[in-house]
Every structure is written in C-alpha cells, then in structure tokens.
Amino acid sequence: MSPRLQIVYDMIPHCETVADVGCDHGYLSIALLENGVAKKVIPMDVNKGPLSKARENIQAAGFEAQADLRLSDGLAKLSGDEADVICICGMGGALIARIIRAGLQVAKSASCLVIEPQSEYYELRSFLMDAGFVIDDEDLISEENKIYPIIKLHYESDNAKRLSYSSAQLEYGPVIIEKAPQLLHTLLDKNESEYSSIINKLENGGVPSTEATMARCQELKEKLEIITQIKNSL
C-alpha cells in the first residue's frame, strides 16, 4: 500500500466488516483481510473499471469469499449497521460531504469512519461537526507535493458529548494541531507564503479592485490570521 493508505489502514480498528467507498484497486480491502483486521470487506465504487480491477486483485489474493463488491454511488448500496467501519478516501472534501449527507443514517450507524479528503477541509469538518460527528484521530500525509489530512471520526448521539471546533480547528484539524507534526509546520509555512503572495498580487499587482477581489483578499487575510494563531500556540 501507499503511505497514504497505510495511515488509513492503521486507523481502522479490528472489526467484523469494513466498507471501502471509492475502493480503487482494492489494496486496502486486501490488506485488511490479509492481516485479520476485518473478517469481511465491502469494496464499493461508482465506476465499473476500478471495481472490476479490485475484483481481480481480491480474487488473486484468495479473498473472494470475504468480499462483497458493489457498484454504488457513495453509500447508496450500503444499509445501516451493515459495516462497522466506513472508509471514504481519495476524494474532494465537498464530494465526501455529499456522500455522507446522502447516506447520513448509514454513516451514523458505523462505529467509526475514516476519511481522506483532498480539498475543502474547513467546509467538510464544519458539516461533520454540525451533523454530530466527533473527530477521534487525525494525521497528515504528503503525496505528490501536496499535504492531505486523514481523519477518524464517529457519530455522537449524546449532544452533551459533541464538540464545538474553532475556525482554526476546522481548517487544520483539532487533533493535528494538538499533535503538531512536522508536516503541519510545513503546511502552515506553505499556505502562509501562498496566501500572502496572492494578497500582494490582488492589492499591488494592478488587478482592478472589485467587490470580488476585495472579498477574496479579506478571506485570505482571515486565513493568515488563523495561521498566525496556530503558530503562536505551537
């Protein structure tokens, strides 16, 4: 498995059944079965090509009897309480939010979810918080010069145990900030440089000052404030 999938794998507890949404070539499912982390897997994909390749790989590994492959748009073909763990990885944050929103009751029924968004982190964590999910663990991974979070969470039915995250935590992750790995420092420096450069171009680069450019500058300045806040707390 890739380092990214290894972190996902490490976050999955031993359980009966894991549903792998967007299963790609089925490598995660195979590893879970090979090492006895799961007794059964439900690899799922919206496209026939990856699902067919996953089927070939799972058959070659000798786990056909323990795998129930399904052509599915998100969680559409998964029932509530059917999977102990649901993995949704390698997609944009907006798409992951759409998948969870469309199958919310199924997502809530799992003991935990492990997700790996590749964009829209603030919006995704905001949606999850509002929907009653609590973040249990997080990590960062660098792949192809981009840094992604991997998030383990569960639905909390007890309102008193739900958490309210700050803007900084929604943007960079409460557990990631607490752990403060080296990749977080790298990400903060990268984003700080990028945002400052864009602001400079918008304000001093001859770009016409419009309502849209002013709003963009304000948005980026708020992001810079969050970065400063996190750096001061580390």
Side-chain angles (χ1 to χ4, degrees), residues 2-170:
S2 66
R4 175 179 63 88
L5 279 183
Q6 184 64 51
I7 293 176
V8 173
Y9 171 89
D10 290 340
M11 286 191 180
I12 298 173
H14 283 72
C15 63
E16 186 72 26
T17 305
V18 174
D20 184 9
V21 180
C23 65
D24 198 23
H25 289 180
Y27 298 136
L28 177 62
S29 293
I30 292 169
L32 292 170
L33 294 173
E34 275 182 340
N35 297 294
V37 176
K39 296 178 182 179
K40 176 184 175 182
V41 293
I42 306 176
M44 307 168 73
D45 208 286
V46 70
N47 295 309
K48 293 181 179 179
L51 197 67
S52 177
K53 189 62 180 178
R55 188 183 303 278
E56 290 178 15
N57 290 335
I58 290 169
Q59 287 175 343
F63 294 114
E64 184 178 8
Q66 294 166 262
D68 182 359
L69 290 92
R70 300 177 187 179
L71 187 67
S72 175
D73 182 2
L75 299 170
K77 298 295 177 65
L78 189 69
S79 302
D81 295 317
E82 199 173 6
D84 304 293
V85 179
I86 297 173
C87 297
I88 312 174
C89 302
M91 309 174 198
L95 178 54
I96 291 177
R98 180 186 73 77
I99 288 172
I100 294 175
R101 185 181 289 109
L104 191 56
Q105 294 309 312
V106 174
K108 288 179 178 181
S109 72
S111 61
C112 74
L113 285 74
V114 180
I115 61 176
E116 186 254 314
Q118 299 188 341
S119 59
E120 297 109 7
Y121 312 122
Y122 184 98
E123 293 78 8
L124 175 59
R125 288 193 184 95
S126 296
F127 158 71
L128 292 169
M129 179 183 68
D130 292 341
F133 289 90
V134 174
I135 295 173
D136 300 308
D137 195 10
E138 293 177 299
D139 210 337
L140 290 173
I141 183 66
S142 179
E143 191 171 83
E144 296 180 354
N145 296 318
K146 293 186 178 180
I147 299 174
Y148 305 113
I150 297 171
I151 308 168
K152 180 180 179 179
L153 59 150
H154 74 277
Y155 174 70
E156 182 52 68
S157 57
D158 187 346
N159 290 341
K161 293 182 180 179
R162 292 181 181 176
L163 301 176
S164 181
Y165 301 115
S166 67
S167 293
Q169 290 173 322
L170 292 172

